[in-house]
Amino acid sequence: MGSFFLYLIMTNSKPIGLFDSGIGGSSIWSAIHELMPNEDTIYLADSKNAPYGKKSKEEIVALSEKNTEFLLNQNAKIIVVACNTATTNAIKELRAKYDVPFIGIEPAIKPAALHSKTQKIGILATKGTINSELFNKAVEIYHDTTIIEQIGYNLVELIEAGEINSPEMKQLLHSYLQPMIDENIDYLVLGCSHYPYLMPQIREILPPHIKIIDSGEAVARQTQNILREKVGFNAADHKSTNIFYINANPNVLADILEHRYPIEQRDF
Ligand code: DGL
């Protein structure tokens, strides 16, 4: 009887809301959708304002609030900040202002530092993430590990433009990763939700013994935990609806999603 009662309380048919500065956070959406396929989702790609990584903290907080309010107006039961730059610069402010649970995404320094045998790891992230207080506090915890930080200048812009396979992309990646290889890293942390879309290109450059970590699965598991503990899941037999909004040209996002989901272009 008790567990039946608990089940009733914890059922919640509202959607999971996610936002990113653009299309990259769809890598996080994929991990969440794979783990919880019957949850409804609303994904917001703020591509018009990408990249966030070059903006000031104040600008990133204002954009994150705008996105949060859009998702709350769509009845989101939880908000996944599917952007490292927005998380590391704005999640504290979002949690203080809105009465909804937030899940953030941060570069996965911890598993890389704990498993590294060379005690050297590389991190590729945006300028906004690498300069943030939250990121630097996380780095300080692992002072026994040498952490080679590299700003991924121009990578988000090229991905947003659909230039994932361009010679310029390959040349940039090479210039960012070769110094890390030379330093003998054995883990590379992808600290931006756009970067998992570069996995084949990065894999081609890195020697096979260097492992690549991104945060998608960890964020999906954390979202599942909070739904279980505090928010509630949709019914187990529910067939999910997945809505994507973008405020710029939808073509690259459509390609990434393999044209399997409708995308609405809307100004927000
Ligand atoms: N996907 C965002 C992140 O995870 C990209 C940030 C940007 O727009 O610069 O950091």
Side-chain angles (χ1 to χ4, degrees), residues 3-129:
S3 61
F4 177 65
F5 184 59
L6 188 67
Y7 173 75
L8 279 183
I9 298 176
M10 296 304 275
T11 300
N12 187 334
S13 60
K14 292 178 181 176
I16 297 173
L18 304 94
F19 75 83
D20 179 37
S21 62
I23 61 181
S26 59
S27 65
I28 306 294
W29 172 85
S30 294
I32 287 179
H33 183 61
E34 200 172 313
L35 190 64
M36 296 174 282
N38 56 321
E39 288 296 323
D40 290 344
T41 61
I42 301 177
Y43 180 90
L44 212 56
D46 193 13
S47 295
K48 188 178 77 180
N49 293 302
Y52 282 12
K54 283 183 174 170
K55 297 190 191 301
S56 68
K57 178 181 166 68
E58 289 68 31
E59 287 172 304
I60 297 168
V61 170
L63 290 168
S64 299
E65 289 179 353
K66 163 188 75 78
N67 297 335
T68 296
E69 283 168 23
F70 183 101
L71 290 169
L72 290 178
N73 284 335
Q74 304 274 326
N75 235 354
K77 62 182 171 184
I78 187 168
I79 292 181
V80 179
V81 182
C83 174
N84 291 257
T85 313
T87 299
T88 51
N89 285 278
I91 200 148
K92 208 169 119 195
E93 287 76 2
L94 295 175
R95 286 189 170 130
K97 187 163 176 180
Y98 302 100
D99 192 22
V100 64
F102 285 92
I103 304 288
I105 163 173
E106 287 178 52
I109 305 171
K110 184 177 175 180
L114 292 181
H115 293 114
S116 172
K117 294 203 169 59
T118 61
Q119 294 286 88
K120 286 187 179 174
I121 66 172
I123 295 189
L124 193 59
T126 69
K127 186 174 169 204
T129 293

Side-chain angles (χ1 to χ4, degrees), residues 211-235:
K211 297 188 179 65
I212 306 172
I213 305 192
D214 71 71
S215 314
E217 275 178 40
V219 171
R221 277 197 306 273
Q222 174 68 356
T223 307
Q224 189 180 44
N225 287 341
I226 300 299
L227 292 188
R228 183 183 299 115
E229 288 162 16
K230 298 195 177 134
V231 181
F233 294 110
N234 211 326

Side-chain angles (χ1 to χ4, degrees), residues 147-198:
I147 299 179
I148 300 160
E149 300 167 9
Q150 174 64 54
I151 294 173
Y153 293 107
N154 229 13
L155 300 182
V156 168
E157 288 93 324
L158 287 174
I159 295 168
E160 288 286 324
E163 303 274 318
I164 291 176
N165 273 312
S166 64
E168 188 184 355
M169 177 66 86
K170 286 184 185 163
Q171 189 268 323
L172 279 180
L173 285 173
H174 208 275
S175 71
Y176 299 154
L177 298 175
Q178 191 58 48
M180 298 185 186
I181 300 169
D182 295 342
E183 289 281 348
N184 200 22
I185 63 159
D186 59 355
Y187 277 84
L188 171 69
V189 176
L190 302 184
C192 170
S193 57
H194 280 67
Y195 299 168
Y197 291 116
L198 302 175

